Amino acid sequence: MIFKNITILDENFDIQKNMYVGTREGKIAYVGKVAPQDDFGETFDGTNKALLPGFVNAHTHSPMTLLRGYAENLPLSRWLNEKVFPFEDRLNPDRAYFGTMLSIAEMLSGGTTSFSDMYFFQDGIMRAVKDSHAKINFSRSIVSFDNTDFLEDSRVLEALEAVEKYHNTENGRIKVDMCLHAEYTNTYSMIRQFGEYTKGKGLINHIHVSETKSEHEECKKKYGKTPTELFYDVGVLDSPTIFAHCVWIEECDREILKNTGATVAHCPASNLKLGSGVCDTYALLQKGVNVAIGTDSAASNNGLDSFREMYLAALLPKGIRGQADIVSPKEIIKMATVNGAKAQGRFDTGLIKEGFKADLTVIDTDKPNLYPDFDILNNIVYSAEKSDVVLTMVDGEVLYKNGEFTTIDIEKIGFEVNRIVKEVVSEV
Amino acid sequence: MIFKNITILDENFDIQKNMYVGTREGKIAYVGKVAPQDDFGETFDGTNKALLPGFVNAHTHSPMTLLRGYAENLPLSRWLNEKVFPFEDRLNPDRAYFGTMLSIAEMLSGGTTSFSDMYFFQDGIMRAVKDSHAKINFSRSIVSFDNTDFLEDSRVLEALEAVEKYHNTENGRIKVDMCLHAEYTNTYSMIRQFGEYTKGKGLINHIHVSETKSEHEECKKKYGKTPTELFYDVGVLDSPTIFAHCVWIEECDREILKNTGATVAHCPASNLKLGSGVCDTYALLQKGVNVAIGTDSAASNNGLDSFREMYLAALLPKGIRGQADIVSPKEIIKMATVNGAKAQGRFDTGLIKEGFKADLTVIDTDKPNLYPDFDILNNIVYSAEKSDVVLTMVDGEVLYKNGEFTTIDIEKIGFEVNRIVKEVVSEV
C-alpha cells in the first residue's frame, strides 16, 4: 500500500507534510517527499489525514473487558474479592476468547496495534490473536503462595507451555513474556526462583510493581527493601523487564530502573480509578527511564483507548506538580508508541522509518475537534479521540478501516459477549 | 418526536429500559413505559440506544477554540502574555463568530446542549448561537484595573448592553449573566461596585475563583480574606453565582458556597493542563454544594468534550484521595447535566421529565467500547465517548444526527477557521 500526500510523524516524531509512505511484506519500505518509483499497489489518499506509528498498549488484561462496568465504586479489596475473582472463576478459554476479541476490536478501532497482555486462558487469548491478526506480548501470570519448586508449580508450567507453544509464532506477531504477578502475590521462594530461572533466557519479564501504597510499604516492612530492590536483588532485572504501575516507587527504584533499562508501563486511568494514586512519570523521564503507556484492563479503566490514556498521561504531571511546561506532546506520543514497542522487545517497531514494521494508524484530521491545525502533534495528544482513527494496519495488513474490521465479525463478538456475561452473572 | 423502546436515565438518574419519550413544542411531553395515545409525529427507534439529558458545559470561552493547539507546554504567564493575549488582540466579532460556531459544532456532536460562555465580542457569539440554535448563558467579562465608576467602565457598559439586547431572547435559549473576570483582574472598587450593582437584579454572576494557588494566596495577603470571602462580603453571592475552578478554596469557602447556593464549575482538564491543580469536588459534594462541569476553553483543554470531562471528574477524586468508592457515576452525570442547568438558572432543564425542556442526547450503545451492558450509567461515565452520540436535540429541535448538523455548515466553518487562524498568525 502507498499512502500519498499524508502528514506523518517521522522517526524523530517531527511533523512532515505531504509525504509518501509505502509498505511491502509487512514493513515500511518507503518514506519520502516524492512519489516512489516502485509500484506499491493500492493507494491511500492522505489528504487531511495523519499517519502515526500504531499505539502499543504496554499493560492490559484483555479478557477482563467482559467485566466492563460490572463493579464500580468499591474499595479495591471488595472489588476484587466480591466481584472480580468470583466472575473470573467462571471464565474458561472460550469465554476468554470472546473477551479478548472484544478488546482487540476496541484497540484496533482506536489505532492500537500491539498489546502486552497479562492473564491466563492462554489458548483462548492466542486463538483471538490468531483470528484477528493482532500483535501481542502475552504472559501467563504466576501467583503462588506455596513454596513448591518453580518447575512444579502449575502456573509456572502453564507459563512455560505458553512460551514453548506460542513464542515468536505468527511471523513474530506473537511473543510470550514471563510474568510474576506481583511481590505481594508470591512467596520469597517463588520470587527468587523466578529471578534465577528467567536469567539469560532472553524473555521479557512483566510484573505489577508498587501499584498501591500498602503493597509498597508492606514489602519494605517484610524485606527491608522496596519491591523494585527486591526484584533487582534476585536477578529479575537481568532480563528486559516491564514494571506496570510504579505509582509508589522511590528515587532508589528509579535509579535501578534507569540502570537496568527496564520499562515502566504507566497506567494513569486505572491508578486513579482504583484510588492507587499517580505515578511520577516526570521524575522517571528526567531520570531517563523508558516509560510506556498501558490501559490496564477495561474493568478498572473502563476502556482500552490509547488516546484517552495519552491525554491523562499528558495532563497529570502538569496538574500534580503545578507545572504547565513539563512532559511535552512529543514525549507522550513516544510513550504511547516506540517506548512501548521497545518494552515489547520489538526494536523494529514504533517508528515511521524504512525497514520498520508497518504497524500504522491513520487519523482523519478533518474533524471539528481537530480544527484548527496549528500542530498535529498537539492535536493528537490533547484533542484527538479514538473515533478519529480511520485505518489501523498491523504488519502491513489493514485490520480496521472506516469503521469496519477486516478480521473480526464485531456483531457476532458483541452477541457472544452479551450471552457470556449473562451466563456468568447467573452463575456467580 | 417520539423516542420508542429506548433506555433512559429517569428524573432520578435511574436506568429505565424500553421507554417512550415524546417531545412537543420544545418540551418533554411524555415519559412512560407504554406508547402514548397522542401522535408525536416522527418516531425514533431507540433499540440499542440510550437517552440522556443534554450536557451543560458550565464554563467555557467559545471563541478560543481558534487557539486550539496554538501554544502548548508554556508556563501560564508566558502562555497568556506571549501567545493568548496577542492572538486575542487580533480577534473581532466576525472571527469570534466562526470560533464560536466551531465550538458549538464540537459541543453538539458530543451531546452538549447548553453552555455558560464568558468572553467578549458578544455580537459575534450571539450570531453564532442564533444561527446554530444552540443554548447559551453568555457573560461579557469585566476586567478593570481602574477606579472608574462602574457605569462608566467600557466593559461594564458592554456587559449591560448584552443583557439589554440579548437576555431571555430566542425563546429563552439565550440568557445573559454578569461576569467579573476574577478578583486579581479587578480593583477593589470594581469588585465592590459589581457586588452592589448586581444585587437584586436577578441575573447570574459568573466569576473565575481561586483557580491558582498564587491567586488565592495573594488575595488573602491583600485583603485578609479568600476570594470567596471577599465576593461574599461585597454581596456578589446575593445573586445566583457560578464560581469557575475553585481549585484552592478552603473549608470556610465551601461553607459560604453551600449557604449561598452557589455553583462550582469544575474544570478538571484545564486545571491539570495549566498546572493549577485539582479541585476537591469530593469535599464540595460532601458539603452539599452544587457542582457542575465545564471544559474551560479549547486553548487549555484542548477540547469541548463533556464525556472526557466527566471521565476526569470521576477519576480524579478517587486517585487524589486514594479512595476508589467516592463520587459515583450518578453524581458525575448529575454534575454534567442537571447541576449545570440549575447553575444557568434553567430549572426546567436537565432532567428527562414531563414538562422539562427537550434538551436531549442519544448515544448508540451498540459499540465495542460499550459492551457488555451491565449498567449504562457506568458505561456512560467510564467508557462512552463523544463519538457515541448519534442525536442531539435542543428545545425539541434536532441539531445533530448521525454525524450531520442541521443548522451548521461544518465544511464552511472549518474552511473559515483555517483562513482566520492563518490571517491572525500572520498578523501577530
Side-chain angles (χ1 to χ4, degrees), chain B residues 278-337:
Chain B
V278 180
C279 172
D280 189 352
T281 51
Y282 179 65
L284 286 165
L285 293 170
Q286 288 295 99
K287 178 67 74 180
V289 175
N290 189 50
V291 180
I293 294 181
T295 59
D296 210 351
S297 86
S300 63
N301 187 309
N302 297 345
L304 306 173
D305 179 348
S306 294
F307 287 95
R308 199 162 78 170
E309 221 65 38
M310 281 199 293
Y311 186 65
L312 282 171
L315 263 56
L316 284 171
K318 298 174 178 60
I320 300 301
R321 282 188 168 252
Q323 287 176 264
D325 56 349
I326 57 171
V327 189
S328 68
K330 192 182 274 192
E331 284 176 293
I332 292 293
I333 200 145
K334 283 184 186 175
M335 285 163 66
T337 56

Side-chain angles (χ1 to χ4, degrees), chain A residues 388-408:
Chain A
D388 298 328
V389 171
V390 289
L391 183 143
T392 307
M393 171 185 275
V394 176
D395 279 1
E397 182 186 6
V398 174
L399 301 186
Y400 177 80
K401 191 174 177 185
N402 298 330
E404 304 289 330
F405 298 94
T406 61
T407 53
I408 298 173

Side-chain angles (χ1 to χ4, degrees), chain B residues 122-406:
Chain B
Q122 53 215 42
D123 291 333
I125 293 172
M126 290 303 168
R127 186 155 66 87
V129 171
K130 285 184 185 179
D131 285 358
S132 64
H133 300 191
K135 192 170 278 187
I136 192 173
N137 275 41
F138 171 79
S139 61
R140 198 288 179 219
S141 64
I142 298 169
V143 174
S144 178
F145 295 103
D146 314 323
N147 283 309
T148 50
D149 263 10
F150 190 71
L151 293 174
E152 284 174 9
D153 184 283
S154 64
R155 285 137 304 197
V156 171
L157 294 174
E158 263 190 47
L160 298 180
E161 186 192 83
V163 173
E164 183 67 24
K165 208 163 153 186
Y166 298 111
H167 187 49
N168 276 329
T169 58
E170 302 289 307
N171 290 319
R173 276 196 298 105
I174 296 178
K175 286 179 180 282
V176 181
D177 302 339
M178 291 295 285
C179 168
L180 202 63
H181 176 271
E183 173 275 319
Y184 67 99
T185 48
N186 283 283
T187 57
Y188 179 73
S189 160
M190 185 54 70
I191 294 168
R192 189 183 45 75
Q193 290 181 84
F194 182 90
E196 275 167 19
Y197 180 85
T198 55
K199 217 175 291 187
K201 291 283 190 303
L203 297 168
I204 291 166
N205 293 332
H206 188 171
I207 310 179
H208 291 121
V209 177
S210 299
E211 178 176 2
T212 67
K213 186 173 185 180
S214 67
E215 167 199 341
H216 188 79
E217 295 302 328
E218 288 301 314
C219 178
K220 283 165 75 175
K221 264 192 220 157
K222 194 167 163 192
Y223 295 107
K225 14 182 139 163
T226 66
T228 298
E229 288 173 329
L230 175 67
F231 290 131
Y232 177 70
D233 287 351
V234 300
V236 165
L237 288 153
D238 290 352
S239 302
T241 295
I242 299 180
F243 276 0
H245 305 302
C246 294
V247 175
W248 294 95
I249 58 168
E250 303 173 39
E251 184 57 21
C252 55
D253 301 328
R254 285 188 283 268
E255 194 69 32
I256 291 172
L257 294 171
K258 166 62 186 164
N259 292 337
T260 56
T263 293
V264 170
H266 174 42
C267 303
S270 174
N271 296 157
L272 287 173
K273 186 158 181 283
L274 296 177
S276 308
V278 180
C279 172
D280 189 352
T281 51
Y282 179 65
L284 286 165
L285 293 170
Q286 288 295 99
K287 178 67 74 180
V289 175
N290 189 50
V291 180
I293 294 181
T295 59
D296 210 351
S297 86
S300 63
N301 187 309
N302 297 345
L304 306 173
D305 179 348
S306 294
F307 287 95
R308 199 162 78 170
E309 221 65 38
M310 281 199 293
Y311 186 65
L312 282 171
L315 263 56
L316 284 171
K318 298 174 178 60
I320 300 301
R321 282 188 168 252
Q323 287 176 264
D325 56 349
I326 57 171
V327 189
S328 68
K330 192 182 274 192
E331 284 176 293
I332 292 293
I333 200 145
K334 283 184 186 175
M335 285 163 66
T337 56
V338 67
N339 293 8
K342 278 183 202 160
Q344 293 190 322
R346 300 178 184 276
F347 299 99
D348 58 354
T349 308
L351 298 179
I352 298 183
K353 184 176 178 177
E354 284 176 25
F356 271 57
K357 295 282 188 186
D359 288 6
L360 297 167
T361 295
V362 179
I363 69 165
D364 180 4
T365 59
D366 190 23
K367 298 284 237 22
N369 57 306
L370 299 179
Y371 283 121
D373 175 20
F374 283 114
D375 182 321
I376 189 63
L377 199 51
N378 290 341
N379 280 0
I380 290 166
V381 171
Y382 294 125
S383 310
E385 56 192 14
K386 194 156 72 71
S387 60
D388 298 327
V389 171
V390 289
L391 184 145
T392 306
M393 172 185 273
V394 176
D395 279 1
E397 183 185 4
V398 174
L399 301 186
Y400 177 80
K401 191 174 177 184
N402 300 328
E404 305 288 330
F405 298 94
T406 60

Side-chain angles (χ1 to χ4, degrees), chain A residues 324-391:
Chain A
D325 57 350
I326 57 170
V327 190
S328 69
K330 192 182 275 192
E331 285 176 292
I332 291 295
I333 198 145
K334 284 183 184 175
M335 286 163 65
T337 57
V338 67
N339 293 6
K342 278 184 202 160
Q344 293 190 322
R346 301 178 184 273
F347 299 100
D348 59 354
T349 308
L351 298 179
I352 297 183
K353 184 176 178 177
E354 284 176 23
F356 270 58
K357 295 282 188 186
D359 288 6
L360 298 167
T361 295
V362 179
I363 70 164
D364 181 4
T365 59
D366 190 23
K367 298 283 235 26
N369 56 307
L370 299 179
Y371 283 121
D373 175 19
F374 283 113
D375 182 321
I376 188 66
L377 200 52
N378 290 341
N379 280 1
I380 290 166
V381 171
Y382 294 126
S383 310
E385 57 193 12
K386 194 156 71 71
S387 60
D388 298 328
V389 171
V390 289
L391 183 143

Side-chain angles (χ1 to χ4, degrees), chain A residues 85 141-146 155 180-188 190-191 207-208 215 222 231:
Chain A
F85 292 154
S141 64
I142 297 170
V143 174
S144 178
F145 294 103
D146 313 325
R155 283 136 305 195
L180 202 65
H181 177 270
E183 173 275 318
Y184 68 99
T185 48
N186 283 283
T187 57
Y188 179 73
M190 184 53 71
I191 293 168
I207 310 179
H208 291 120
E215 167 199 341
K222 194 166 162 192
F231 290 130

Side-chain angles (χ1 to χ4, degrees), chain A residues 18-194:
Chain A
N18 296 311
M19 296 292 285
Y20 290 80
V21 175
T23 68
R24 180 178 289 142
E25 290 168 6
K27 293 188 174 173
I28 296 167
Y30 181 82
V31 181
K33 286 189 180 301
V34 294
Q37 300 284 317
D38 305 10
D39 180 20
F40 280 93
E42 193 187 344
T43 297
F44 183 96
D45 178 11
T47 312
N48 294 325
K49 306 282 191 296
L51 185 71
L52 336 171
F55 299 118
V56 177
N57 185 348
H59 180 68
T60 189
H61 313 280
S62 62
M64 291 184 78
T65 305
L66 294 173
L67 285 87
R68 187 191 337 254
Y70 175 57
E72 299 300 339
N73 275 59
L74 293 172
L76 187 61
S77 62
R78 287 189 56 202
W79 179 72
L80 281 173
N81 292 308
E82 295 176 22
K83 292 292 201 166
V84 175
F85 292 154
F87 192 105
E88 286 184 322
D89 280 347
R90 271 76 184 180
L91 295 185
N92 56 40
D94 192 59
R95 289 172 173 177
Y97 168 84
F98 286 106
T100 300
M101 283 299 266
L102 180 62
S103 290
I104 291 171
E106 188 180 351
M107 287 191 275
L108 289 174
S109 73
T112 301
T113 47
S114 186
F115 60 111
S116 284
D117 206 33
M118 179 195 284
Y119 211 62
F120 27 101
F121 303 121
Q122 52 215 41
D123 292 333
I125 293 171
M126 291 303 167
R127 185 155 66 88
V129 171
K130 285 184 186 181
D131 285 357
S132 64
H133 300 191
K135 191 170 278 188
I136 192 173
N137 275 41
F138 171 80
S139 61
R140 198 287 180 223
S141 64
I142 297 170
V143 174
S144 178
F145 294 103
D146 313 325
N147 283 310
T148 49
D149 262 11
F150 191 70
L151 293 174
E152 284 175 8
D153 185 283
S154 64
R155 283 136 305 195
V156 171
L157 294 174
E158 262 190 48
L160 298 180
E161 186 193 83
V163 173
E164 183 67 25
K165 207 162 155 188
Y166 298 112
H167 187 49
N168 276 329
T169 58
E170 303 288 308
N171 291 318
R173 278 197 296 104
I174 297 179
K175 287 179 179 282
V176 181
D177 302 339
M178 290 295 287
C179 168
L180 202 65
H181 177 270
E183 173 275 318
Y184 68 99
T185 48
N186 283 283
T187 57
Y188 179 73
S189 160
M190 184 53 71
I191 293 168
R192 188 183 46 74
Q193 292 181 83
F194 182 90

